[in-house]
Amino acid sequence: MLVLIKKHTWNRWIGSAEQFSLEQRIFHAVLLILLPILLVSSIFDFMIGLVGIGLYLFFALACQLLAYYLSRYKQKGKTAIVFFALNGYGFLALNYYFNSGIQGPTLLLFLLAAMIILVVSPDKMNRIWMAMNLLLVTGLLWMEYNTPGFIEFTYENQTVLFADITFSYWCSLLVIYGITTYIKFNYARERKLATDRAEINAQQKQQLEKIDEQKNKLFSIIGHDVRGPLTLIRGYLDLMEHKDALNESESEQLRLQLQESVDGTIEMLENLLEWSRLQYLQETQWEQVNISKAIDQVLLLLEKQAAKKQIQIHRTTPVIAQVIPGNKRIMELVFRNVIQNAIKFTPENGSIHITEKATAGAYIVEVKDSGMGMSDAQLKSLFTFKAKTTYGTNREKGTGMGLMLCKELLSGIEGTITAESKEGEGSCFLIHFNIPH
């Protein structure tokens, strides 16, 4: 009985599924999880002598309550998320300055903030928040590195420093656990509701087993690829305590490794969130899509990435633009993943050829690169959950999840994707779309 009362109270606090979307309910849950953590953190900072940070944490606590009130009771979810993100980044920037900069725990908290905002923010805002995160962190690191004495060491001794970093790590882990647990709970509930609506037969049981396997793999990927950067940050912080142990070149190498790790995690989370969003749609929203324009949009996003490696991208398009039925969002996501992979695994000064051609009953987009190529074993697992983490020619990290998502999403619009490759000879991806007669 007590459990039912607690569950009813929690559901009332976060809102009902009829009134709020899953993302909004996750946002409410995140705020409710953060409130006691901020309160305890404030008390802890007072205890270790960081009075200024403790006072600002109380202010941040009040801001979180306001964001919760705006979203839960005033139905102003977007405003609340913007307020939450700006307040969070503002606090972290001040915390970085007043809490010993790179020697304190703030970089760990910046990564945690990026994960939370990616989960709760609308898709179209994610790039803005991630760019703000990267620019803010990079700017703070640059200022501290180039202006000795700009940030003071505020800890009384090493014991206080290690206590603060340890406490921040525990809080970060607790927040990640709370968010992933809540997502898993909702995932399980949605699956149960779907099962209750339909008669279970042998085919449905097999599909549910597959969903279970995919779910476990997805959270395994989250656990690995989020924990990896956190571990790297911890190691970086430990090394910074012994500044004489690293020369300038080694420090720069560590910084680049950290940036690449965070970039890879952000890419993985974007793919995962897009997949999750489309999974909750009851049916695919069909529309007429101009394939050439969709590819143009993707190339515009990836232009700097290709230019960084001086990769030439060649296009072959039909004389007459082809418009076919599909889903623009899905198609652009597929093109982005495939072309981005081609850039990753193509060496500097290499080339990528994108060819569009119409055949009887089908429209084919071919993406061919002059990159590393793949072995037969890699090809067999390419579009499955068995695909492993790989690294590009410049050590760009890939989780192996993007192409599997591409195949699954294409099946929803009657499309397919295949690959041909030989080690050392590059790869060729063929994306097929059906054209109705």
Side-chain angles (χ1 to χ4, degrees):
M1 185 66 178
L2 183 60
V3 174
L4 290 176
I5 293 174
K6 289 180 178 179
K7 183 178 179 181
H8 174 74
T9 303
W10 176 255
N11 289 336
R12 186 177 61 187
W13 285 348
I14 65 173
S16 64
E18 293 76 17
Q19 190 177 9
F20 297 98
S21 67
L22 176 60
E23 289 79 7
Q24 288 175 306
R25 283 179 282 139
I26 291 174
F27 181 50
H28 297 158
V30 168
L31 290 174
L32 291 172
I33 291 170
L34 287 176
L35 289 175
I37 291 177
L38 285 173
L39 180 60
V40 174
S41 298
S42 178
I43 296 172
F44 180 80
D45 283 335
F46 276 118
M47 292 174 63
I48 64 174
L50 300 177
V51 178
I53 298 298
L55 288 173
Y56 191 78
L57 278 172
F58 268 122
F59 175 76
L61 178 65
C63 291
Q64 302 292 57
L65 283 170
L66 178 58
Y68 174 74
Y69 176 77
L70 288 173
S71 180
R72 174 65 180 85
Y73 296 105
K74 290 298 183 179
Q75 309 293 320
K76 296 181 179 180
K78 292 182 179 179
T79 302
I81 290 173
V82 172
F83 181 77
F84 167 78
L86 292 176
N87 174 66
Y89 282 159
F91 163 71
L92 290 175
L94 288 174
N95 190 71
Y96 185 92
Y97 179 79
F98 290 109
N99 202 13
S100 304
I102 199 170
Q103 298 183 76
T106 312
L107 287 180
L108 176 67
L109 300 178
F110 264 113
L111 187 59
L112 176 64
M115 176 190 172
I116 293 173
I117 293 171
L118 271 173
V119 172
V120 302
S121 176
D123 293 344
K124 61 183 180 181
M125 293 292 292
N126 281 339
R127 298 182 188 278
I128 296 175
W129 297 127
M130 291 306 99
M132 186 182 296
N133 188 299
L134 287 172
L135 289 173
L136 190 56
V137 171
T138 303
L140 289 169
L141 289 170
W142 184 86
M143 289 180 67
E144 183 176 7
Y145 180 78
N146 286 278
T147 312
F150 170 70
I151 295 178
E152 297 180 358
F153 185 83
T154 56
Y155 294 95
E156 294 180 0
N157 51 55
Q158 287 289 93
T159 301
V160 176
L161 169 64
F162 276 82
D164 193 28
I165 291 178
T166 302
F167 183 78
S168 298
Y169 176 77
W170 287 351
C171 289
S172 299
L173 194 62
L174 181 61
V175 171
I176 292 172
Y177 174 78
I179 293 172
T180 53
T181 299
Y182 185 73
I183 293 175
K184 288 172 72 174
F185 170 79
N186 279 276
Y187 189 98
R189 185 172 65 176
E190 293 292 334
R191 188 185 65 183
K192 184 177 182 300
L193 289 173
T195 304
D196 291 342
R197 293 190 191 106
E199 181 181 359
I200 299 178
N201 52 35
Q203 183 179 2
Q204 287 175 319
K205 288 182 180 179
Q206 186 178 4
Q207 289 175 344
L208 286 173
E209 290 173 359
K210 184 179 179 180
I211 290 173
D212 246 351
E213 179 186 351
Q214 292 175 347
K215 180 197 69 175
N216 293 334
K217 178 62 177 179
L218 283 172
F219 283 104
S220 173
I221 291 171
I222 293 175
H224 178 272
D225 286 84
V226 172
R227 186 167 59 245
L230 291 177
T231 303
L232 186 60
I233 290 173
R234 284 191 64 195
Y236 189 73
L237 290 172
D238 290 341
L239 287 173
M240 288 304 298
E241 293 175 15
H242 309 285
K243 294 183 178 180
D244 295 337
L246 295 175
N247 57 38
E248 185 176 346
S249 175
E250 290 171 335
S251 296
E252 177 65 12
Q253 185 177 1
L254 279 174
R255 187 191 68 79
L256 291 174
Q257 288 177 356
L258 182 61
Q259 182 176 345
E260 290 173 2
S261 182
V262 172
D263 289 345
T265 302
I266 291 173
E267 179 188 337
M268 180 272 293
L269 289 174
E270 284 181 344
N271 271 327
L272 180 59
L273 288 171
E274 182 65 19
W275 176 84
S276 300
R277 189 194 72 80
L278 292 168
Q279 292 301 305
Y280 282 105
L281 292 177
Q282 293 183 352
E283 59 182 22
T284 301
Q285 298 175 352
W286 289 83
E287 58 187 317
Q288 295 296 315
V289 182
N290 185 314
I291 296 294
S292 295
K293 287 186 178 180
I295 295 175
D296 287 339
Q297 289 293 321
V298 171
L299 290 177
L300 190 62
L301 292 174
L302 300 178
E303 184 179 11
K304 290 184 179 178
Q305 192 174 337
K308 187 177 179 181
K309 297 175 73 174
Q310 297 182 338
I311 294 174
Q312 297 294 320
I313 298 180
H314 306 279
R315 294 283 303 278
T316 302
T317 57
V319 177
I320 301 176
Q322 184 74 46
V323 178
I324 64 173
N327 180 283
K328 186 173 182 288
R329 189 162 189 153
I330 289 177
M331 290 174 169
E332 287 186 352
L333 184 143
V334 171
F335 294 145
R336 188 189 74 190
N337 272 280
V338 173
I339 297 172
Q340 193 170 46
N341 275 349
I343 295 172
K344 279 183 184 178
F345 297 103
T346 298
E348 294 184 358
N349 299 309
S351 62
I352 297 172
H353 294 264
I354 303 173
T355 304
E356 302 171 47
K357 52 187 175 183
T359 62
Y363 192 83
I364 302 172
V365 177
E366 178 185 279
V367 180
K368 188 174 183 180
D369 63 63
S370 60
M372 302 160 55
M374 292 176 281
S375 65
D376 291 339
Q378 287 175 308
L379 274 175
K380 288 180 181 179
S381 64
L382 194 59
F383 301 104
T384 70
F385 273 104
K386 296 179 182 179
K388 298 180 180 179
T389 298
T390 53
Y391 294 88
T393 55
N394 282 1
R395 300 296 295 170
E396 306 100 323
K397 186 178 181 181
T399 63
M401 187 175 61
L403 291 176
M404 181 279 299
L405 295 181
C406 289
K407 182 180 180 180
E408 184 174 342
L409 294 175
L410 281 171
S411 66
I413 55 173
E414 300 177 6
T416 61
I417 180 171
T418 58
E420 302 170 357
S421 183
K422 288 185 179 181
E423 285 189 279
E425 297 183 14
S427 302
C428 179
F429 286 83
L430 298 171
I431 306 166
H432 295 250
F433 300 102
N434 289 333
I435 300 178
H437 296 290

